[in-house]
């Protein structure tokens, strides 16, 4: 994959490392540190750097902070399991570092949106605006499923899955583009370079810790998530891709909530419609609070 075939950033990203709860966190930043602060939280198996297309489409100047969650992107950790509440605690430490005194603006996609929603309900005084992009929770689980889930987690965890590999970056980019057909080849090549690294056998290896491939040992309890959402005091914008298949998100129990749909997009809005997403984000964040 030559540099001529890969998307070239308009706004130059900066990479830094930050000690967070014993983990060497990777963080991508854009913009002047004196600009308004904006946190971007990525989804499962993604990384902070792939918000590049949205950052480049902004009209206003922002200081954007986009961490790589533990075990994803360039935040690697030696573990055999992941515990979802750790993401909330990690986020709390990140916010304490970058904005210790002021409540923050959070933009979360998918898993990042779910993390942001739980955090904003658990510690509402730390968040003054939440933009939740396709992070609307999972289907509810049944308590009777618990024994089988615990067994599945234990049995599959006895032998940790191996890393995910592809023959080369071009093949990975083709896979990304096939799942997100409205991307350009240059954008897909950029995402491939963020998601993977060269492996010793001349293949490329995804930057996703193998333990993330295990099932979650604890069942998802939607009532608990909705209880957190009801406690949010921040202004909330729910953003969905028209082709993603989500139902009537207007009925979700987020207080002070607005809804925006982006046409001609599936789940990965920041890949398929970054300019439209940037417009929706800035319109919401720059209008006067009521």
């Amino acid at each position: 994959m030559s540099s001529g075939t890969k998307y070239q950033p308009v706004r130059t990203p900066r990479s830094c490392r930050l000690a967070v709860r014993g983990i060497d966190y990777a963080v991508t930043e854009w913009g002047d540190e004196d600009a308004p602060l904006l946190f971007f939280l990525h989804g499962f198996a993604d990384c902070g750097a792939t918000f590049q297309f949205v950052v480049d489409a902004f009209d206003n100047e922002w200081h954007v902070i986009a961490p790589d969650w533990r075990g994803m992107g360039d935040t690697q950790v030696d573990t055999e399991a992941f515990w979802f509440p750790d993401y909330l605690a990690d986020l709390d430490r990140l916010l304490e570092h970058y904005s210790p005194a002021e409540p923050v603006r959070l933009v979360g996609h998918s898993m990042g949106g779910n993390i942001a929603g739980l955090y904003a309900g658990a510690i509402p005084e730390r968040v003054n605006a939440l933009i939740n992009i396709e992070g609307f929770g999972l289907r509810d689980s049944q308590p009777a499923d618990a024994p089988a889930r615990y067994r599945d987690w234990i049995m599959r965890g006895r032998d940790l899955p191996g890393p995910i590999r592809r023959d080369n970056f071009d093949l990975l980019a083709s896979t990304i583009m096939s799942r997100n057909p409205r991307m350009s080849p240059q954008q897909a090549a950029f995402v491939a370079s963020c998601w993977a690294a060269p492996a010793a056998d001349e293949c490329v290896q995804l930057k996703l810790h193998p333990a993330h491939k295990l099932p979650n040992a604890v069942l998802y309890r939607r009532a608990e998530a909705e209880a957190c959402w009801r406690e949010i005091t921040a202004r909330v914008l729910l953003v969905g891709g028209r082709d993603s298949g989500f139902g009537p998100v207007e009925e979700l129990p987020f207080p002070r909530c607005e809804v925006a749909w982006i046409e001609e997009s599936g789940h990965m809005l920041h890949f398929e419609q970054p300019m439209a997403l940037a417009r929706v984000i800035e319109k919401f964040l720059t209008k006067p609070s009521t």
Side-chain angles (χ1 to χ4, degrees), residues 147-202:
R149 175 65 66 83
Y150 281 125
R151 177 182 176 85
D152 189 28
W153 178 74
I154 293 169
M155 300 298 287
R156 290 173 61 181
R158 288 178 175 177
D159 296 302
L160 202 62
I164 303 172
R165 296 189 174 187
R166 297 289 183 268
D167 288 344
N168 52 57
F169 280 108
D170 288 339
L171 180 60
L172 177 57
S174 296
T175 301
I176 293 168
M177 195 169 175
S178 68
R179 295 174 180 173
N180 306 279
R182 299 177 182 93
M183 297 180 76
S184 70
Q186 293 77 18
Q187 289 172 319
F190 179 89
V191 172
S193 71
C194 295
W195 279 8
D201 57 1
E202 298 185 359

Side-chain angles (χ1 to χ4, degrees), residues 88-160:
L88 278 71
D90 291 353
L91 175 59
D92 187 64
R93 297 289 181 86
L94 287 160
L95 301 186
E96 179 66 21
H97 175 81
Y98 286 102
S99 185
E102 297 294 329
V104 300
R105 307 170 188 87
L106 297 180
V107 180
H109 172 252
S110 194
M111 187 187 88
N114 282 289
I115 294 167
L118 295 176
Y119 182 85
I123 310 184
E125 67 273 15
R126 292 293 284 129
V127 182
N128 68 12
L130 167 61
I131 298 177
N132 183 337
I133 307 165
E134 299 259 324
F136 310 141
L138 305 175
R139 290 190 179 93
D140 205 1
S141 56
Q142 299 300 316
D145 295 335
R149 175 65 66 83
Y150 281 125
R151 177 182 176 85
D152 189 28
W153 178 74
I154 293 169
M155 300 298 287
R156 290 173 61 181
R158 288 178 175 177
D159 296 302
L160 202 62

